[in-house]
Amino acid sequence: MLKAALGGNLPHPENGEEVPCCWLTDFDGDGRTDLLVGTRSVGLAERYLPKTDGIGFGKGWIDGTWLARDVTATVWLHRNVGDNQKPSFSHGSLVRTDPGGRAITFFDRAEPVVADFDDDGKPDLLVGTIDRAVLFLNRGEAGGAPRLDGGRALTFDGQEGLPYQNRTFFAFRDGDGLMHLRLGGPVASETVQLDRKNPFAFGPVRSIPFRNAELRLDDMSVPDAVDWDGDGKIDLIVGGQDGWIWFFKNIDPAGGPGRWAAPEWVEADGQPISLYRNESLQGPVEWMWGYSNPTVEDWDNDGDLDLICGSMIETYLWFENIGSRTKPRLTARGPLPCGAGAGKPVSAAWRTRPGVGDLDGDGLPDLVGANGKGHLCWWQRYRDEAGAMKLKEAVTVLAPDGDPFVVSGQWRHTGRTKIVVCDWDHDGKPDIICSPPITQTDQFFFHNRGIRDGKLVMERDDHRILLRGVRLPPFTHYVMCEPVDFDKDGQWEVIAGFDRGFIYYWRE
């Protein structure tokens, strides 16, 4: 532990949900290594998500206003008042800018990086925020205490925004005098300064390739196993917290789970799919996350694969494949409609992955999801008088005793459910596999008992699918399960995405 000059261990300057972001450097030019700390998500636990009935499905907002408070992030300087052999630090002071002495404060995240970005021999301060990087140039005297200007956002290929969350930043100057900025996130990446005379303009953010890297993306990865490009091998289409959707091509010679190409963005209408900046039941901080939950199926029965996706918004989006089975090309069709006439958007709990399958045996793919009350729901597909495929209104899936199934929690814990439709027990009828609420650990299995009086009846067996053999508990927000048969022996294997972005594989 770092020592405080006032005695004891150095405390955090502010208490947030996340651990502080730290940078060690001689910031004030006195020859001793100081500590800069960026706080994260201050106010999240107590004031941003107050434990009242005001937060949850359909709640928390009035007239477009979030009823609780924002989360904040600030940058603090802990000066080293000892020496470099036995450092001890002040409790901290807010890092401020000129003119006006404004404290550096951002929404949710502030990660400090100290480097000489304008090559004038003085340390500048870069602050990585939730969606951009802001550079504060040092206008003080060389070798003296820094005087930071008002700050300006870096541009990356002409744009201020950064594509990824959960970043870590590192900066250095190369032999040509250009600054490099390296970023962590779903993929490690780097961007390079375009001109050493312009400290703010950087080129595009490009991924850094690694040999035999772990197959991992950002937090809360949600994989769907499917032959996306029609080459006979099972690929992965993966969503995650940041709201992007990624394609991992299977390059294993035998088509097994051993080798994958580097991830590529899945695009629609020529642009990467990005499901963020939408109003969310957990407030404005969630705008920067999309929680993409992809399901790949032939939704329109035309022989190619489409994409149905849950996300932070409380409906399911359809991306139609207007390409071919071997060369998919997606276009965004918006929320799935249900009900009479032109219909209205399907209403589903946020952050849920829908299941798609023919549950009533009429040859049309139906939709399965969860509603805001945490109930398992079925949207039945039918053809209207003109022959067009449409969805009926949602009905709850029932147990044999007539009760609905509760598959997610309440308050802010509603949703997050991951659903798969497949014939798990090989009896010729599609079943439903479903993640349980956050506090439960084993996968829900619903055996298909058929249609009774127009209602879908399922029988629950909580111990049919058990995922074991991981040393550390990987699941927190959900316990997902994606059936797959890599070796084509007719027996199910399982892959699953975890909170920290890793994807695991099980054999029975």
Side-chain angles (χ1 to χ4, degrees), residues 23 25-27 113-126 135-140 142-143 148 154 170-174 177-180 193 195-200 202:
W23 192 273
T25 186
D26 178 12
F27 194 60
V113 174
V114 177
D116 183 6
F117 279 82
D118 56 357
D119 199 20
D120 65 353
K122 296 175 293 186
D124 306 306
L125 175 64
L126 177 77
L135 176 60
F136 299 88
L137 294 178
N138 185 352
R139 299 307 190 191
L148 302 178
L154 300 185
F170 181 75
F172 66 94
R173 189 176 299 279
D174 65 17
L178 298 175
M179 291 297 295
H180 290 234
Q193 202 173 41
D195 185 342
R196 62 186 300 174
K197 296 181 180 179
N198 183 350
F200 304 102
F202 283 70

Side-chain angles (χ1 to χ4, degrees), residues 473-493:
F475 300 113
T476 301
H477 286 80
Y478 54 81
V479 187
M480 79 161 294
C481 172
E482 170 68 9
V484 62
D485 185 9
F486 282 112
D487 55 14
K488 300 179 181 179
D489 66 351
Q491 300 298 314
W492 291 116
E493 305 143 46

Side-chain angles (χ1 to χ4, degrees), residues 126-138:
L126 177 77
V127 179
T129 75
I130 193 170
D131 64 341
R132 64 198 63 222
V134 179
L135 176 60
F136 299 88
L137 294 178
N138 185 352

Side-chain angles (χ1 to χ4, degrees), residues 1 44 76 87 92 95 116 133 137 148 150 157 162 188 191-192 197 199 282 314 316 343 349 374 444 451:
M1 299 294 293
L44 182 62
W76 295 77
V95 178
D116 183 6
L137 294 178
L148 302 178
D157 201 21
L162 281 167
T191 178
V192 183
K197 296 181 180 179
Q282 284 193 169
E314 292 151 2
Y316 296 132
F444 286 173
I451 308 298

Side-chain angles (χ1 to χ4, degrees), residues 241-381:
Q241 176 178 271
D242 283 356
W244 308 92
I245 301 175
W246 302 84
F247 167 48
F248 285 89
K249 180 177 175 59
N250 189 334
I251 56 174
D252 191 308
R259 292 184 64 189
W260 306 90
E264 301 176 6
W265 275 322
V266 176
E267 296 186 347
D269 303 307
Q271 297 293 325
I273 296 173
S274 181
L275 305 176
Y276 74 117
R277 292 190 181 276
N278 292 287
E279 186 174 293
S280 159
L281 66 84
Q282 284 193 169
V285 72
E286 302 290 343
W287 284 345
M288 304 312 303
W289 297 314
Y291 300 111
S292 50
N293 284 253
T295 295
V296 178
E297 293 287 347
D298 183 5
W299 179 247
D300 50 8
N301 269 8
D302 66 352
D304 57 30
L305 294 178
D306 309 297
L307 176 67
I308 307 295
C309 195
S311 67
M312 68 183 297
I313 58 177
E314 292 151 2
T315 189
Y316 296 132
L317 302 174
W318 174 31
F319 298 88
E320 182 185 0
N321 185 356
I322 58 175
S324 66
R325 180 65 185 88
T326 56
K327 293 183 179 180
R329 184 163 60 91
L330 299 179
T331 187
R333 297 300 190 196
L336 291 175
C338 67
K344 58 184 179 180
V346 164
S347 178
W350 80 320
R351 295 169 64 171
T352 56
R353 183 176 82 162
V356 175
D358 181 12
L359 288 159
D360 55 4
D362 64 355
L364 304 179
D366 304 314
L367 181 72
V368 180
N371 65 16
K373 296 180 180 179
H375 293 159
L376 189 65
C377 291
W378 174 45
W379 289 264
Q380 188 178 17
R381 207 76 171 279

